[in-house]
């Protein structure tokens, strides 16, 4: 399978395009980045404000790169409560300055030239460049609707598995919104054990679900022998700017990541870690409220897009709608057209890989009022006799 990356990081490109439109005075409705517009839990903010007033909390954090003990303990409590997974906060879990850095450290820790890393197409655009740094070969496995947007593990050749040292999956999935369950993770763990590779699930959207709560890969028996999971607090608590995440699971891999991190950073800002710990220990209905906001946005956007002729599945989880537009042209063409003609910004599916061509990704970080406005604007395209010929509605 061929490489899928096109140019610079997709979010950078989209942000530049949105900024250029804003500078022209356009009223852009921005569905590009999963950058939440909602408040964090009040206890989290209160803890941050209290902790920031202590001069000691402005020193290098206790625990340095691994994270303060209170953060790691709270994360272990959260894993037990949410997923039924028991973790040793000293050996099986460390903090990350945003889960995004986890992909880089895992690649650097586990891959060398001649090894294989298995990634999914479409996929979150961070994994591929991280793997490329190591000189390892990348094998892309497609995520297809017919297989529930899970990799078809039976299609991956045995000789690929023999050379594989790392496989990264991402459920709940960005950009598609698919979720994975225990039978899939069980099969993955069996393969990882048989062929002796590490499997990582990027669980950045684990708390954003609208049907049954998705499982953690670590809940599969034996997972702690060969699997790790990345968790982000960015979307769970609406704190993308704080940069708080973690890697948990296989102790030896966690230690390898820490080996690299200790020479690079000194850990997350202590008040952020203490506030994150407070949020993870709290069970106050905040996450139910958060899910209800996204569920309402999801339903509104999916319905509106379908009325316009898009093919859009209602995602089981995550923060995005993955939709096939009713216009001719590549996904880049259509994304540019929507920005030019109705100041609606959304990501082209091909930015996530060749199997994303033909789709657009809409983030749910837009209010219901603005979603309605966006649908009304897009209706004009369909009804407008003067649209550019490249962008005429299909059918
Ligand atoms: C799949 C996936 N992993 C990781 C991240 C990054 O999360 P963080 O803010 O913790 O670095 C994102 C953010 O968009 C994501 O979509």
């Amino acid at each position: 399978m061929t490489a899928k990356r096109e140019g610079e990081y997709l979010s950078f490109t989209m942000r530049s395009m949105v900024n250029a439109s804003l500078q022209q005075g356009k009223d852009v409705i921005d569905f590009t980045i999963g950058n939440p517009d909602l408040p964090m839990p009040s206890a989290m903010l209160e803890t941050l404000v209290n902790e920031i007033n202590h001069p000691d909390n402005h020193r290098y954090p206790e625990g340095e790169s691994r994270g303060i003990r209170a953060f790691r303990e709270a994360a272990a409590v959260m894993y037990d409560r949410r997923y039924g997974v028991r973790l040793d906060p000293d050996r099986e879990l460390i903090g990350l300055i945003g889960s995004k850095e986890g992909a880089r450290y895992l690649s650097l820790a586990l891959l060398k030239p001649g090894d294989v890393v298995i990634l999914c197409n479409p996929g979150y655009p961070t994994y591929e460049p991280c793997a490329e740094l190591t000189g390892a070969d990348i094998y892309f496995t497609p995520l297809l609707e017919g297989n529930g947007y899970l990799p078809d593990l039976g299609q991956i050749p045995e000789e690929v598995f023999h050379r594989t040292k790392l496989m990264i999956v991402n459920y709940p999935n960005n950009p598609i919104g698919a979720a994975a369950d225990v039978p899939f993770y069980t099969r993955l763990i069996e393969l990882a054990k048989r062929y002796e590779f590490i499997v990582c699930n990027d669980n950045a959207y684990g708390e954003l679900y609208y049907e049954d709560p998705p499982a953690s890969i670590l809940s599969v028996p034996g997972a702690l022998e060969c699997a790790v999971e990345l968790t982000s607090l960015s979307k769970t608590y609406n704190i993308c700017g704080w940069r708080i995440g973690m890697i948990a699971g296989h102790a030896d891999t966690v230690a390898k990541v820490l080996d690299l991190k200790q020479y690079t950073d000194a850990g997350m800002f202590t008040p952020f870690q203490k506030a994150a710990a407070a949020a993870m220990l709290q069970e106050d209905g905040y996450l139910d409220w958060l899910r209800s906001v996204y569920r309402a946005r999801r339903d509104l956007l999916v319905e509106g897009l379908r009325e316009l002729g898009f093919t859009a599945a209602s995602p089981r989880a995550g923060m995005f709608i993955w939709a096939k537009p009713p216009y001719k042209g590549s996904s880049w063409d259509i994304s540019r057209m929507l920005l030019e003609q109705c100041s609606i910004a959304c990501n082209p599916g091909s930015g996530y890989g060749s199997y994303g061509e033909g789709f657009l990704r809409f983030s749910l970080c837009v209010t219901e009022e603005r979603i309605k406005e966006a649908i009304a604007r897009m209706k004009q395209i369909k009804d407008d006799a003067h649209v550019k010929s490249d962008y005429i509605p299909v059918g």
Side-chain angles (χ1 to χ4, degrees):
M1 210 133 293
T2 53
K4 61 185 179 66
R5 190 152 53 90
E6 299 173 355
E8 70 175 357
Y9 191 56
L10 182 63
S11 296
F12 279 25
T13 308
M14 298 315 297
R15 212 180 262 265
S16 311
M17 285 168 60
V18 168
N19 286 344
S21 294
L22 290 171
Q23 274 158 20
Q24 290 165 21
K26 304 256 179 74
D27 172 25
V28 178
I29 304 180
D30 188 355
F31 290 95
T32 57
I33 304 172
N35 192 8
D37 56 324
L38 297 165
M40 71 191 73
S42 51
M44 191 176 205
L45 185 57
E46 278 161 30
T47 309
L48 175 67
V49 171
N50 288 337
E51 296 297 337
I52 221 160
N53 282 315
H54 292 292
D56 266 2
N57 284 342
H58 295 259
R59 309 180 74 192
Y60 287 122
E62 165 253 308
E64 301 237 343
S65 319
R66 59 161 46 90
I68 64 171
R69 193 147 210 296
F71 171 82
R72 287 179 283 119
E73 278 173 358
V77 169
M78 177 279 289
Y79 251 102
D80 193 9
R81 187 185 64 223
R82 167 71 176 85
Y83 299 110
V85 175
R86 290 278 174 90
L87 293 168
D88 177 348
D90 290 324
R91 294 173 50 252
E92 292 170 330
L93 192 154
I94 60 170
L96 293 174
I97 303 179
S99 65
K100 193 174 177 186
E101 68 168 9
R104 171 160 297 217
Y105 287 123
L106 274 177
S107 301
L108 292 174
L110 300 176
L111 301 173
K112 59 179 186 334
D115 293 339
V116 169
V117 54
I118 303 177
L119 302 177
C120 299
N121 179 350
Y124 178 51
T126 292
Y127 311 135
E128 182 187 352
C130 291
E132 275 174 354
L133 282 175
T134 68
D137 297 330
I138 304 175
Y139 181 88
F140 286 103
T141 177
L143 301 185
L144 302 172
E145 188 180 357
N147 205 42
Y149 292 112
L150 299 172
D152 185 347
L153 299 171
Q155 289 293 308
I156 301 174
E158 191 156 2
E159 69 92 12
V160 168
F161 277 131
H162 276 299
R163 291 168 54 217
T164 297
K165 291 289 176 286
L166 173 65
M167 176 165 180
I168 303 180
V169 296
N170 161 222
Y171 294 100
N173 184 264
N174 171 14
I176 296 171
D181 292 307
V182 168
F184 169 73
Y185 288 136
T186 303
R187 177 101 180 86
L188 209 48
I189 297 293
E190 274 167 18
L191 288 165
K193 280 192 184 162
R194 185 178 330 147
Y195 295 103
E196 297 182 353
F197 61 83
I198 296 298
V199 57
C200 170
N201 180 45
D202 183 347
N203 193 18
Y205 301 94
E207 293 291 7
L208 300 186
Y209 55 84
Y210 313 109
E211 294 164 29
D212 300 342
S216 159
I217 193 170
L218 301 182
S219 62
V220 172
L224 293 178
E225 293 158 37
C226 62
V228 288
E229 191 157 71
L230 299 173
T231 296
S232 170
L233 271 59
S234 293
K235 323 285 165 136
T236 309
Y237 298 117
N238 301 314
I239 52 161
C240 290
W242 290 18
R243 315 307 303 126
I244 299 236
M246 69 191 85
I247 181 168
H250 183 235
D252 193 45
T253 302
V254 170
K256 284 181 179 157
V257 169
L258 182 60
D259 270 355
L260 293 169
K261 260 178 78 62
Q262 66 185 316
Y263 296 109
T264 313
D265 68 68
M268 300 167 282
F269 184 42
T270 301
F272 289 164
Q273 297 196 57
K274 291 194 172 173
M280 285 189 284
L281 292 175
Q282 189 117 12
E283 288 177 274
D284 63 353
Y286 170 85
L287 291 173
D288 288 335
W289 165 78
L290 188 68
R291 288 187 277 267
S292 73
V293 173
Y294 284 123
R295 187 182 289 109
R297 292 177 177 184
R298 173 197 71 164
D299 292 347
L300 191 63
L301 185 54
V302 166
E303 192 189 321
L305 290 172
R306 285 180 183 163
E307 274 170 21
L308 290 165
F310 281 73
T311 306
S314 187
R316 183 182 147 190
M319 190 177 254
F320 307 102
I321 305 298
W322 186 239
K324 214 177 249 185
Y327 314 113
K328 283 183 189 156
S330 70
S331 58
W332 268 111
D333 285 343
I334 295 170
S335 152
R336 282 193 202 99
M337 176 276 284
L338 288 174
L339 191 57
E340 279 164 24
Q341 291 204 22
C342 38
S343 299
I344 289 169
C346 60
N347 286 359
S350 62
Y352 299 88
S354 51
Y355 281 87
E357 184 50 270
F359 290 85
L360 299 175
R361 192 199 78 168
F362 291 83
S363 122
L364 293 175
C365 302
V366 174
T367 64
E368 289 183 48
E369 195 192 347
R370 296 288 275 171
I371 291 173
K372 286 181 195 156
E373 163 75 16
I375 298 295
R377 287 190 200 172
M378 282 195 270
K379 202 156 189 304
Q380 298 302 312
I381 303 174
K382 211 169 176 205
D383 298 342
D384 185 348
H386 305 292
V387 292
K388 282 197 218 161
S389 60
D390 293 355
Y391 307 136
I392 52 175
V394 173

